[in-house]
Amino acid sequence: GAGVSQSPRYKVAKRGQDVALRCDPISGHVSLFWYQQALGQGPEFLTYFQNEAQLDKSGLPSDRFFAERPEGSVSTLKIQRTQQEDSAVYLCASSPSSASGRYEQYFGPGTRLTVT
Amino acid sequence: GDSVTQMEGPVTLSEEAFLTINCTYTATGYPSLFWYVQYPGEGLQLLLKATKADDKGSNKGFEATYRKETTSFHLEKGSVQVSDSAVYFCALSDTNAGKSTFGDGTTLTVKP
C-alpha cells in the first residue's frame, strides 16, 4: 500500500524566501509528526498533530516555522524568511494511533532543503 | 528532557561477524524504545521495538532488550550480512506525548 509521501523531495531556496513542504500521511493515520534532520545527526522533533489538532509544537525553532493539518490528513510545514541554518532534511511521519508513544512511526522519504 | 546516546560510528565489520551497537537513554517517564534503520537511498523504517522493561524486540536476526536498571537498549545481531549495511538509529517515545527522541545514528558497513 501507499506509504508516507513528501513533496518536493529537494528544494533550493534563496535566503529570505518562504518555502512550503507537503506531507501526505498513510490514509487513516491519526498522528502526524514533523522532524528536522541535520547532516550526520538524528531527527529532531518539530511538531505533532492528532487529527487536525496541533498538540505539541515545542520543537519549532522559531516563529518563522509554522505547520498545519487543516482536515486531519495532509500537512504542510511552512518556513518563512529562510536562513542558512534551516538547511536540513525535513521528515514527516505518521502513526495509526493517538496513543502513539507505543506504536512505530512510518516515515516519509524527506524533503532536503538547501538555503543558499 | 529526554535524550538518547548511541555508540559512535562508523562501524565496519566482516560478513558473519557479531554486531553490538550500544544505546543508552535518559527519560522522565516510562518510554517505549525503538531501533530504526535507514538503508542507502531509503527512508527510516522500524527495525524493532520494546514497550516495557525486560521486553525483547527482535526482527531479521536483530535483537534488543529493554533494560530499565541500566537504561539501555543495545542492538545485537549474531551474524551480519552485507545487506545489513545501513544507518541505525536508537529512539525513545514518550508514551503520553508520542514524540520520539533519536540518537545521532550509527553507520554500519559490512564487507564481504
Side-chain angles (χ1 to χ4, degrees):
Chain A
V4 178
S5 61
Q6 292 185 245
S7 61
R9 292 292 311 277
Y10 303 91
K11 177 70 178 178
V12 178
K14 291 191 189 313
R15 192 163 60 98
Q17 282 185 332
D18 298 349
V19 298
L21 313 180
R22 177 187 169 105
C23 172
D24 284 81
I26 294 172
S27 178
H29 276 198
V30 170
S31 297
L32 185 144
F33 304 82
W34 283 98
Y35 294 88
Q36 180 189 60
Q37 186 175 20
L39 190 64
Q41 296 184 15
E44 296 270 352
F45 171 79
L46 293 176
T47 187
Y48 161 53
F49 290 86
Q50 189 180 114
N51 295 308
E52 68 278 5
Q54 189 173 19
L55 297 188
D56 187 348
K57 54 182 180 179
S58 62
L60 296 177
S62 77
D63 59 7
R64 296 185 296 104
F65 287 71
F66 172 75
E68 59 183 6
R69 194 187 185 197
E71 296 178 359
S73 55
V74 171
S75 177
T76 304
L77 176 68
K78 297 178 179 178
I79 309 173
Q80 298 178 324
R81 304 180 304 282
T82 52
Q83 303 295 314
Q84 284 195 317
E85 62 262 29
D86 300 335
S87 296
V89 176
Y90 290 85
L91 298 171
C92 176
S94 68
S95 179
S97 171
S98 58
S100 53
R102 296 191 181 278
Y103 297 90
E104 70 178 281
Q105 295 178 17
Y106 295 79
F107 282 83
T111 294
R112 183 178 297 277
L113 172 66
T114 302
V115 181
T116 61
Chain B
D2 296 346
S3 68
V4 174
T5 302
Q6 273 184 248
M7 182 171 102
E8 286 189 21
V11 174
T12 303
L13 295 173
S14 297
E15 209 165 21
E16 299 184 5
F18 184 85
L19 170 71
T20 300
I21 300 178
N22 290 338
C23 172
T24 57
Y25 67 91
T26 302
T28 52
Y30 300 95
S32 295
L33 301 176
F34 303 81
W35 276 100
Y36 286 86
V37 60
Q38 186 169 31
Y39 297 105
E42 300 184 16
L44 278 166
Q45 56 186 276
L46 180 72
L47 180 59
L48 53 83
K49 71 177 184 182
T51 58
K52 62 182 188 295
D54 299 325
D55 268 3
K56 177 187 283 189
S58 61
N59 186 27
K60 299 181 181 180
F62 291 88
E63 292 184 341
T65 300
Y66 190 143
R67 300 285 188 202
K68 191 168 183 297
E69 63 276 12
T70 55
T71 61
S72 66
F73 192 55
H74 303 321
L75 181 69
E76 296 183 336
K77 187 175 185 182
S79 176
V80 293
Q81 305 300 311
V82 173
S83 57
D84 294 326
S85 298
V87 183
Y88 293 82
F89 292 91
C90 183
L92 68 82
S93 191
D94 182 320
T95 303
N96 293 322
K99 72 179 186 183
S100 290
T101 300
F102 287 80
D104 283 339
T106 302
T107 300
L108 170 66
T109 301
V110 180
K111 297 191 171 180

